[in-house]
Amino acid sequence: MSGISVIVPVYNAEQYLTNCIESILSQTFQDYELILIDDGSTDESGVICDEYARKNRQIKVIHQSNAGPSAARNRGLEESRGNYITFVDADDYVEMSYLEKLWQTLERYGADLVVGGMVVVREGKRSKRRKDMVAPELKMERMATREEAYRGMLEGKHALLFAWGKLYHRRLFQGLQYAEGEIYEDVKIICKLIERAERIVLTSYAGYFYIQRLGSITHEAMSHKHMILLENEKRLWTFMKDRYPKLESLAKRQYLNSCFFLIEKMASDPKFQGECRNLRKIILKNWKYLLFSTCVSWMERGGMICLLFGIPCYRETWKLFTKYFGYSEF
């Protein structure tokens, strides 16, 4: 049995896949297996996977009909043999010491979940490390309670909402699966994983390079399936209200940010004007929270003000607002 199973869902990623695989094969930590799940790719991704598998016995390739990243991750979990699990997206890559450092941290604390940071790369250009990905008090690494882990997630200081960027003990996934056929599927399972974890470590090490590209889910053409994001965030808000009341305000902010995000993506498309009006009602209904909560940023307050006079007006005023005051996507 391998120490770590590295699971990579692959779908039409031929432009990035070689870089991803090479970064994993270059790891200083060698007790791993690499599982490539070709999720019905229509480009040369499947061929690339097979070529690497022929040259390296640590690689296992599975070809399946397209069923989405959740189904690919679930298949990878079924096929994995490692005591520990990590996910890497096919268009991302990792530093050569990535597995080693996560493994060392896990061993040092006897943890069953290690959460690292990330470096954002936009359109092939490496950005500076995002300082806000790690809490100010976190110098290198520390044990965290579940509540502290959730706080870091809700404040955007740790990449907890994503499947990648972590090292999991495989027991955390026993009886669990990612929700197949959905997007934004990570939100639904992360709470279950955190609740099962007995020892959680947050580390400032950011050896995962996350590529933001126009072809990703968050940049693809909008459809009604994107509304599942709001359901997942509402579920997270309710969970925090019931289990971690001190974090309810942060969860509410994240829910409202999802409303802003969906309006921004849908506002220019006539097909989604009904959804946009409903989202606007939700945001304006919470105007007191948005104006007076210490959790809320001036960008979010500005977004609410731009919505006061309707969706058509919002499109124009938000453009002006972000042009003169800067812009950070919700």
Side-chain angles (χ1 to χ4, degrees):
M1 179 175 284
S2 300
I4 300 176
S5 293
V6 183
I7 300 172
V8 181
V10 179
Y11 178 71
N12 289 357
E14 62 179 356
Q15 181 181 349
Y16 307 89
L17 185 55
T18 296
N19 191 42
C20 174
I21 295 175
E22 289 287 350
S23 74
I24 297 169
L25 295 180
S26 301
Q27 291 297 297
T28 54
F29 182 92
Q30 284 295 302
D31 186 16
Y32 71 89
E33 62 174 354
L34 173 56
I35 303 175
L36 303 172
I37 311 295
D38 173 27
D39 188 40
S41 297
T42 57
D43 62 3
E44 294 298 308
S45 295
V47 175
I48 295 172
C49 290
D50 289 337
E51 289 177 351
Y52 273 99
R54 282 194 290 269
K55 299 174 184 177
N56 194 303
R57 302 175 72 177
Q58 287 176 284
I59 299 177
K60 181 176 183 179
V61 178
I62 298 168
H63 299 281
Q64 64 180 30
S65 299
N66 180 248
S70 291
R73 290 194 184 109
N74 290 337
R75 182 67 183 279
L77 288 168
E78 291 173 6
E79 300 289 340
S80 66
R81 296 294 179 266
N83 291 312
Y84 296 92
I85 305 291
T86 192
F87 297 99
V88 178
D89 281 358
D91 50 0
D92 299 335
Y93 60 97
V94 293
E95 288 183 342
M96 64 186 301
S97 58
Y98 179 71
L99 295 181
E100 181 178 8
K101 289 186 177 179
L102 291 185
W103 175 264
Q104 288 176 342
T105 301
L106 182 143
E107 288 286 286
R108 191 155 46 245
Y109 290 88
D112 45 16
L113 175 61
V114 176
V115 182
M118 68 176 178
V119 177
V120 178
V121 181
R122 294 182 176 87
E123 293 300 314
K125 182 179 180 181
R126 175 173 172 172
S127 69
K128 294 180 179 179
R129 290 181 184 271
R130 291 180 56 185
K131 295 180 180 179
D132 63 342
M133 291 306 298
V134 180
E137 73 274 10
L138 180 58
K139 296 179 180 178
M140 286 300 293
E141 60 192 26
R142 67 181 177 91
M143 289 287 296
T145 64
R146 294 187 181 99
E147 183 169 319
E148 289 170 335
Y150 285 128
R151 180 177 294 277
M153 172 182 75
L154 293 169
E155 291 179 344
K157 294 171 181 174
H158 308 287
L160 263 168
L161 279 177
F162 306 103
W164 42 260
K166 306 167 189 63
L167 186 61
Y168 311 83
H169 194 291
R170 72 175 300 114
R171 76 168 182 82
L172 298 182
F173 285 98
Q174 186 174 354
L176 289 183
Q177 287 191 324
Y178 285 91
E180 297 186 11
E182 294 184 8
I183 58 176
Y184 308 113
E185 72 285 350
D186 298 346
V187 178
K188 187 172 288 188
I189 197 173
I190 189 60
C191 291
K192 295 177 181 178
L193 293 170
I194 292 177
E195 290 301 307
R196 288 185 172 193
E198 297 296 330
R199 298 176 69 83
I200 303 169
V201 175
L202 306 179
T203 173
S204 58
Y205 170 63
Y208 191 100
F209 292 83
Y210 167 63
I211 297 181
Q212 286 187 339
R213 62 186 179 98
L214 294 178
S216 66
I217 287 175
T218 54
H219 290 89
E220 71 179 14
M222 294 299 294
S223 68
H224 294 285
K225 68 181 181 180
H226 286 75
M227 296 301 293
I228 192 65
L229 173 63
L230 208 59
E231 295 179 26
N232 289 342
E233 297 290 14
K234 184 65 174 291
R235 188 180 294 109
L236 180 63
W237 178 13
T238 301
F239 177 77
M240 292 301 162
K241 182 179 180 180
D242 294 340
R243 297 289 297 273
Y244 302 93
K246 292 181 180 179
L247 302 180
E248 180 191 354
S249 184
L250 286 172
K252 182 176 182 178
R253 176 197 176 191
Q254 182 155 307
Y255 170 74
L256 293 174
N257 274 345
S258 296
C259 294
F260 280 118
F261 170 79
L262 291 169
I263 286 179
E264 184 182 347
K265 297 298 182 184
M266 294 178 169
S268 59
D269 193 330
K271 297 195 302 290
F272 301 110
Q273 294 312 295
E275 285 87 348
C276 287
R277 286 192 292 270
N278 290 334
L279 292 167
R280 175 178 176 269
K281 288 179 182 178
I282 293 172
I283 291 171
L284 295 183
K285 184 179 179 180
N286 290 279
W287 68 270
K288 288 184 179 179
Y289 170 81
L290 289 167
L291 280 182
F292 300 114
S293 173
T294 56
C295 297
V296 177
S297 72
W298 62 273
M299 287 294 291
E300 292 152 345
R301 293 190 179 102
M304 183 196 68
I305 292 170
C306 290
L307 278 172
L308 287 176
F309 302 102
I311 300 299
C313 183
Y314 166 79
R315 293 200 300 265
E316 301 306 317
T317 54
W318 183 244
K319 286 179 184 177
L320 292 173
F321 186 85
T322 54
K323 178 179 179 181
Y324 289 103
F325 296 102
Y327 172 68
S328 178
E329 189 175 85
F330 290 114

